[in-house]
Amino acid sequence: MTSETTSEAPSARTAPPGTAPEPPAAPPPVRDWAVDDLPALTFDPLLTELLDKEPVARIRLPFAAANEAWLVTRYEDVRAVTSDPRFSRTALLDRQVTKMTGHMVASKAALNYADPPYHTQLRKAVTKAFTGQNTKRLRPAAQATTDRLLDAMEAAGRPADLVKHLHGPLPMAVVCDLLGIPEEDRAELASWPDLILSSGPGPESSRAAKAQIHGYITRLLDRRLAEPRDDLAGVLAESLADGRIDVDEAVSLAMAVLISGAHAVRNNSANMVYVLLTRPELADRLRAEPELIPQAVDELLRWIPHRNGVGLPRIATEDVEIGGVRIRAGEAVYASYLAANRDPEVFEDPHTLDFDREGTGHVSFGHGPHHCMGAMLTRMESEVMLSTLLSRFPGLRLADGPEDVVWQSKGLIRGPKELFVTW
């Protein structure tokens, strides 16, 4: 639901004597973007409209609405804003910008609020845990966990909730394997990411969950300092001992991996299965051509609107022209990766899900310095889940109609709350 208002117009320019003053230039309209829950995986109509008619637009979001921001939606403009050092994340810490939630999701010490070269330094502290080699090392464990979870689901009988039996526990298991969190601690962690990555429960619940995760990870790093191991907690503890990062930085890096890895992959993998179950011809094709699954996962990542609204903005540190519009120093700019993935100048027939699509890469994992470190891990988990479900359950289908699927409400990441299936 959107509405248009106009900001106060600038004063008229001084005209030569004897002539009428020029009328003031009309300011662009400001869109009030409520970011309401949309049905299933419906693409936000405001993003479609802006991409077509106003690719650099002024917006107000539900919180701090008085502090307007720019929103860019075209692929090239999104890539420009997210890679140009004149747009700063660190400058956000001193600004009140219109935003999605009433609370700060990420720690101030987190990668999300860092700019190079400090951002580069933080990423180096964890990079070796996210290499292709490490992803390959984790794949057999992910496959074994998937098989075990589906054994339990099959034993429990039909219908079964895939979110409960697979999409929730597998990403949590993989990220816990990555971090080195022992089995007996994992149940305690399971609900915290949902509380943090939501605009619904409120700042108190988010702060309490963050405090609990912070305390847990601090204790885990203390254990790794005493007893080093070859996992991400061990890598962070080593960087901490060497003085490359401090405790707050180490904890924030681990929290970012745990929260985004567990929450985002859970929702987006469930979104992928929902798409295949409501488009059975696509599922049938992947069963017939399993070698196509990696390419299909990438196209699903491009096509699925995996979040509500937008992520964190950036602050212009000087005047910059983007898409023919001058953004002034000090102004906030949001970049929509979702809209960029539907740019018709870049993707032919962008609203069509096409497993044969090749060429330009999507930006679902971001772009520039803040490109997601866990991209390879996310792809691997999605491939394991889809390939195993499709081969093991040839008759897999929704237990009820698509309209009966319950979706999460007021989440920053979109996805089904429950996904009941039969086979």
Side-chain angles (χ1 to χ4, degrees):
M1 184 174 183
T2 64
S3 60
E4 291 189 13
T5 58
T6 54
S7 303
E8 184 179 346
S11 57
R13 298 173 186 162
T14 304
T19 62
E22 287 185 27
V30 179
R31 309 291 187 118
D32 289 319
W33 191 7
V35 198
D36 296 320
D37 290 329
L38 293 164
L41 295 177
T42 302
F43 195 76
D44 195 312
L46 177 63
L47 291 178
T48 302
E49 179 186 347
L50 294 180
L51 185 58
D52 180 46
K53 298 177 180 176
E54 196 181 351
V56 184
R58 298 287 290 173
I59 61 165
R60 294 190 191 105
L61 289 163
F63 293 89
N67 304 299
E68 301 161 4
W70 293 99
L71 172 65
V72 298
T73 48
R74 285 187 180 160
Y75 187 88
E76 289 305 324
D77 294 341
V78 165
R79 284 166 56 93
V81 167
T82 54
S83 60
D84 190 325
R86 294 175 294 177
F87 293 102
S88 166
R89 279 279 183 79
T90 302
L92 269 177
L93 295 172
D94 301 320
R95 302 296 174 98
Q96 264 291 348
V97 178
T98 188
K99 56 187 178 177
M100 290 274 299
T101 70
H103 59 275
M104 181 179 280
V105 172
S107 158
K108 289 185 177 182
L111 276 170
N112 282 334
Y113 291 102
D115 294 330
Y118 174 58
H119 179 271
T120 310
Q121 173 192 333
L122 287 180
R123 280 182 73 110
K124 280 183 179 177
V126 293
T127 298
K128 72 178 183 179
F130 290 96
T131 61
Q133 183 179 358
N134 203 38
T135 298
K136 287 180 183 177
R137 181 181 68 82
L138 291 167
R139 188 170 192 132
Q143 184 65 65
T145 302
T146 299
D147 293 337
R148 175 175 53 80
L149 291 169
L150 293 178
D151 286 344
M153 183 182 87
E154 201 164 8
R158 299 168 284 186
D161 178 10
L162 274 179
V163 173
K164 174 184 175 183
H165 286 282
L166 179 65
H167 298 295
L170 179 66
M172 178 60 81
V174 171
V175 80
C176 286
D177 286 342
L178 177 72
L179 274 161
I181 294 172
E183 290 277 352
E184 61 269 21
D185 293 349
R186 297 182 183 189
E188 178 188 358
L189 300 172
S191 65
W192 295 342
D194 287 352
L195 292 172
I196 293 170
L197 289 174
S198 173
S199 60
E204 295 81 11
S205 298
S206 176
R207 279 194 292 267
K210 280 189 283 190
Q212 288 175 305
I213 293 182
H214 190 285
Y216 177 84
I217 291 173
T218 301
R219 295 190 294 275
L220 178 65
L221 293 175
D222 286 341
R223 292 203 297 271
R224 288 296 179 275
L225 285 168
E227 301 174 9
R229 279 178 53 182
D230 186 21
D231 51 36
L232 179 55
V235 170
L236 288 168
E238 180 185 340
S239 294
L240 187 58
D242 291 346
R244 284 175 280 163
I245 54 175
D246 63 27
V247 173
D248 283 344
E249 290 164 345
V251 171
S252 73
L253 287 165
M255 284 178 68
V257 170
L258 177 63
I259 293 166
S260 61
H263 185 91
V265 178
R266 181 196 74 187
N267 286 289
N268 220 23
S269 64
N271 288 334
M272 291 181 186
V273 173
Y274 172 83
V275 170
L276 295 180
L277 295 181
T278 53
R279 298 277 302 276
E281 74 282 3
L282 296 178
D284 289 344
R285 183 176 180 197
L286 294 183
R287 286 192 182 94
E289 302 176 62
E291 69 280 359
L292 193 61
I293 286 177
Q295 188 168 316
V297 164
D298 236 35
E299 173 67 352
L300 287 162
L301 285 166
R302 180 198 72 84
W303 185 86
I304 289 170
H306 60 276
R307 67 160 300 126
N308 285 319
V310 282
L312 289 173
R314 292 162 174 80
I315 303 295
T317 57
E318 58 183 83
D319 289 6
V320 187
E321 187 170 300
I322 295 291
V325 175
R326 181 168 293 276
I327 294 169
R328 303 290 182 182
E331 294 183 325
V333 186
Y334 283 96
S336 173
Y337 293 122
L338 298 187
N341 281 339
R342 300 290 186 104
D343 187 342
E345 295 295 318
V346 177
F347 302 101
E348 185 179 354
D349 197 10
H351 297 290
T352 295
L353 185 60
D354 180 6
F355 289 167
D356 294 310
R357 191 184 299 278
E358 295 178 340
T360 307
H362 62 73
V363 286
S364 295
F365 292 113
H367 181 66
H370 288 273
H371 181 271
C372 176
M373 290 184 295
M376 285 189 290
L377 195 63
T378 297
R379 286 186 172 98
M380 180 271 283
E381 293 175 68
S382 301
E383 290 170 17
V384 167
M385 279 187 265
L386 292 192
S387 61
T388 308
L389 280 171
L390 291 171
S391 61
R392 182 166 176 166
F393 300 103
L396 190 70
R397 60 193 183 277
L398 290 176
D400 300 299
E403 68 280 0
D404 297 311
V405 174
V406 177
W407 294 80
Q408 293 192 67
S409 178
K410 300 299 179 187
L412 302 183
I413 307 295
R414 292 173 69 173
K417 187 175 181 181
E418 301 168 336
L419 192 61
F420 280 95
V421 296
T422 189
W423 53 90

